[in-house]
Amino acid sequence: MDEIKKNIDVIIPCYNVEETIEDCIKSLCNQSLSKNEYNCYFINDCSKDSTGVILDKYKSIENINVIHHKENQGLAMTRNEGIKAGDSKMIAFLDGDMVVKKSWLESFLPYFNKSVVAVMGDNTAPQDISLNPVEKYYFGNLRGARKYKDGEKIPFQYMLFGNAMLKRIVLQECGYFDESMKKYGGEDTDLSARIWNVYPKSFVFSKNSDSVHYHRRNLSEFCNSMYTYGKYNLPLLIKKHPHYKKRFATDWIFRFKGRLLFSLP
């Protein structure tokens, strides 16, 4: 590994995660790195539940920073606010409904070198729940980056930022998350495509940096999310990156079944 200062900003966007956010905070406070080696930025995107109240219970901890939005701004703007609040050389992202092990932050670092600018961790299901068919698909071994081995380079369309780490300089060169993408989906793929244009073949998958993802899914939610993605952000992705159209699985999406699911004309 190239010498990288162990100075990390962890960005955690939070929206209506009252059931999991306390465990998320505790897992980040219990990292193997010392607290002076990383800062956590929890951004409450105008949650309607008690997420904000729970966050404020922990804001006195030395490396915990809490930001509250008065209006819902969406995932892209929420992450960007956390990025701008810090100045560390490395940036990690974690969703507020995820819990990580003690070595989570430290586990990313060995994968970085001159040719690797971002590392994506895996998401695993809680062990104490019975998965429905949609969740079995979501956590399946043939989905996305899970098709690749630990430490293997992955295509940009599989590089997501719900559980990931990257070099800050990459965002300074390629731009932050697109804040015009306020609806569900696409903001990660857009950023990954822009980074890929400057740093091709620079993404790696880590099976040592997993998180436990507590968000439950059902068929209705899945279909509604895909409908929203197809109506709003997928067309924007194709417009911004027409040369990557096939990478967005548009061959399937633009068939009849795909048009029905993704709300395409």
Side-chain angles (χ1 to χ4, degrees), residues 10-263:
V10 188
I11 314 302
I12 310 96
C14 306
Y15 182 70
N16 292 349
V17 287
E18 63 180 2
E19 294 184 3
T20 55
I21 190 59
E22 195 152 23
D23 287 338
C24 177
I25 296 170
K26 289 178 179 179
S27 72
L28 287 172
C29 288
N30 193 38
Q31 290 296 293
S32 55
L33 297 179
S34 64
K35 285 186 170 57
N36 62 5
E37 292 180 290
Y38 68 100
N39 284 308
C40 297
Y41 295 89
F42 292 86
I43 306 95
N44 173 29
D45 195 20
C46 197
S47 296
K48 301 183 186 301
D49 62 6
S50 61
T51 295
V53 175
I54 297 170
L55 288 173
D56 283 341
K57 288 167 51 180
Y58 293 87
K59 65 183 181 181
S60 61
I61 298 175
E62 61 179 295
N63 66 336
I64 299 295
N65 303 272
V66 177
I67 301 169
H68 294 288
H69 285 169
K70 294 182 179 180
E71 296 180 358
N72 185 267
Q73 303 292 340
L75 180 59
M77 185 176 291
T78 300
R79 282 177 174 165
N80 285 347
E81 187 162 357
I83 294 168
K84 294 171 185 176
D87 61 359
S88 296
K89 291 184 178 180
M90 306 297 291
I91 300 174
F93 294 99
L94 188 70
D95 287 347
D97 54 5
M98 295 179 179
V99 176
V100 294
K101 58 189 177 183
K102 188 179 181 70
S103 62
W104 178 68
L105 280 174
E106 203 164 16
S107 70
F108 282 108
L109 299 177
Y111 295 93
F112 284 95
N113 54 48
K114 290 182 179 179
S115 67
V116 176
V117 302
V119 180
M120 174 182 152
D122 198 3
N123 299 328
T124 62
Q127 294 185 351
D128 58 347
I129 66 170
S130 177
L131 300 180
N132 62 43
V134 172
E135 291 168 330
K136 288 180 180 178
Y137 161 75
Y138 177 81
F139 290 110
N141 290 328
L142 297 179
R143 180 178 179 269
R146 294 192 189 99
K147 295 181 287 188
Y148 294 82
K149 298 177 182 178
D150 176 58
E152 195 171 358
K153 296 284 184 74
I154 59 174
F156 79 84
Q157 64 268 32
Y158 295 145
M159 181 69 212
L160 304 176
F161 295 95
N163 171 12
M165 184 181 288
L166 79 165
K167 300 175 182 178
R168 178 178 288 273
I169 191 173
V170 172
L171 296 178
Q172 293 170 340
E173 293 180 8
C174 303
Y176 294 178
F177 292 97
D178 184 348
E179 295 180 4
S180 70
M181 292 183 165
K182 294 184 178 294
K183 302 289 186 179
Y184 173 86
E187 62 281 315
D188 286 13
T189 305
D190 168 65
L191 177 58
S192 295
R194 285 186 278 120
I195 295 174
W196 188 269
N197 289 337
V198 181
Y199 297 95
K201 299 181 180 180
S202 61
F203 301 144
V204 161
F205 181 52
S206 166
K207 292 193 175 183
N208 295 313
S209 312
D210 54 292
S211 64
V212 180
H213 199 179
Y214 284 91
H215 179 71
R216 298 305 305 264
R217 293 167 175 79
N218 56 52
L219 183 59
S220 176
E221 178 193 0
F222 173 77
C223 291
N224 286 335
S225 296
M226 293 302 99
Y227 180 90
T228 300
Y229 173 54
K231 184 175 182 179
Y232 295 101
N233 288 348
L234 178 59
L236 184 57
L237 268 179
I238 295 170
K239 183 178 180 180
K240 292 181 69 174
H241 309 284
H243 49 301
Y244 292 141
K245 186 176 179 179
K246 288 187 176 181
R247 300 273 194 117
F248 303 144
T250 52
D251 285 349
W252 178 83
I253 291 170
F254 283 97
R255 293 173 191 161
F256 178 71
K257 290 182 180 179
R259 287 180 182 275
L260 289 177
L261 181 59
F262 286 86
S263 181

